[in-house]
């Protein structure tokens, strides 16, 4: 008997067998794992290596998502962890810290003081586009909306963040 495994609300009224059986089918929710030190993004059964600068920016947004304090069961249309570009640029030191952590074998003095170390709106959009393209090539267009650094709102009030539910993200650093 499958009666014990059925949700109680389905047993209150008569249901056809197809509805009852479909209620038992639960698709496994895939977990996004971002492994900072290995510079790998793992989703479903695929892995993706990322260059340090791209991974630093992506890790910044993953960290924002994971440290969101809003207590909701699903992120859905919530955008509390999304930030506008001036806020992101003000937090440059956090992005730089991720980058230094990824490139710890190189002395800081040898690193360029442009690019990911000193983001501009143009650099940000360039990195965001390259990350999006890299994710699309590896994970496909259907997973992209959940994985990419997505934009919400219209100019000049555009905010950026990760769409995926924070409970489905694992951040290893």
């Amino acid at each position: 008997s499958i009666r014990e495994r059925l949700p109680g609300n389905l047993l209150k009224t008569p249901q056809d067998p197809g509805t009852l059986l479909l209620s038992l089918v639960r698709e496994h929710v895939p977990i996004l794992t971002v492994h900072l030190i290995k510079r790998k993004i793992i989703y479903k059964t695929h892995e993706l290596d990322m260059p340090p600068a791209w991974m630093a920016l992506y890790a910044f947004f993953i960290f924002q998502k994971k440290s969101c304090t809003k207590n909701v069961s699903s992120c859905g249309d919530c955008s509390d962890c999304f930030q506008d570009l001036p806020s992101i640029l003000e937090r440059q030191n956090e992005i730089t810290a991720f980058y230094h952590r990824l490139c710890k074998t190189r002395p800081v003095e040898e690193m360029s003081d442009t690019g990911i170390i000193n983001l501009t709106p143009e650099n940000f959009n360039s990195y965001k586009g390259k990350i999006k393209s890299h994710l699309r090539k590896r994970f496909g267009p259907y997973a992209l909306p959940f994985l990419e650094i997505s934009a919400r709102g219209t100019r000049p009030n555009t905010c950026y963040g990760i769409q995926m539910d924070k409970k489905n993200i694992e951040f290893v650093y």
Side-chain angles (χ1 to χ4, degrees):
S1 175
I2 61 170
R3 183 175 296 275
E4 308 83 45
R5 291 186 275 159
L6 293 171
N9 61 343
L10 286 179
L11 297 175
K12 292 181 182 175
T13 59
Q15 300 288 333
D16 62 287
T19 303
L20 294 172
L21 289 175
L22 279 176
S23 72
L24 295 175
V25 177
R26 305 233 193 299
E27 187 175 322
H28 173 68
V29 179
I31 300 293
L32 169 67
T33 304
V34 177
H35 201 294
L36 188 63
I37 302 304
K38 291 183 180 178
R39 295 193 325 242
K40 287 189 183 285
I41 296 174
I42 304 162
Y43 184 69
K44 294 188 178 179
T45 59
H46 301 288
E47 289 186 4
L48 173 67
D49 293 323
M50 295 252 282
W54 301 1
M55 184 57 121
L57 186 62
Y58 195 72
F60 170 76
F61 283 101
I62 292 293
F63 187 75
Q64 292 306 111
K65 180 60 113 173
K66 288 299 286 180
S67 53
C68 181
T69 58
K70 189 164 185 179
N71 190 12
V72 290
S73 59
S74 172
C75 294
D77 291 329
C78 174
S79 59
D80 283 5
C81 62
F82 281 54
Q83 297 180 13
D84 61 357
L85 191 53
S87 299
I88 294 167
L89 297 178
E90 285 175 15
R91 300 181 70 189
Q92 174 68 56
N93 60 339
E94 295 176 41
I95 298 169
T96 303
F98 282 122
Y99 183 65
H100 285 268
R101 192 168 194 174
L102 290 166
C103 298
K104 59 185 169 190
T105 57
R106 288 180 60 196
V108 178
E109 305 82 40
E110 288 182 9
M111 294 185 190
S112 171
D113 59 352
T114 60
I116 197 70
I117 299 295
N118 193 9
L119 275 179
T120 63
E122 294 79 25
N123 287 11
F124 173 76
N125 286 325
S126 174
Y127 284 126
K128 188 171 67 74
K130 290 174 183 177
I131 292 168
K132 180 178 181 176
S133 175
H134 210 53
L135 291 170
R136 183 188 306 114
K137 284 178 189 172
R138 185 63 181 141
F139 301 115
Y142 297 111
L144 188 62
F146 302 106
L147 304 177
E148 72 175 327
I149 300 170
S150 56
R152 285 221 178 138
T154 56
R155 287 184 186 162
N157 302 319
T158 307
C159 294
Y160 302 94
I162 303 290
Q163 188 65 40
M164 181 177 270
D165 284 346
K166 65 181 177 180
K167 67 182 178 193
N168 298 337
I169 298 174
E170 182 179 275
F171 188 49
V172 181
Y173 57 100

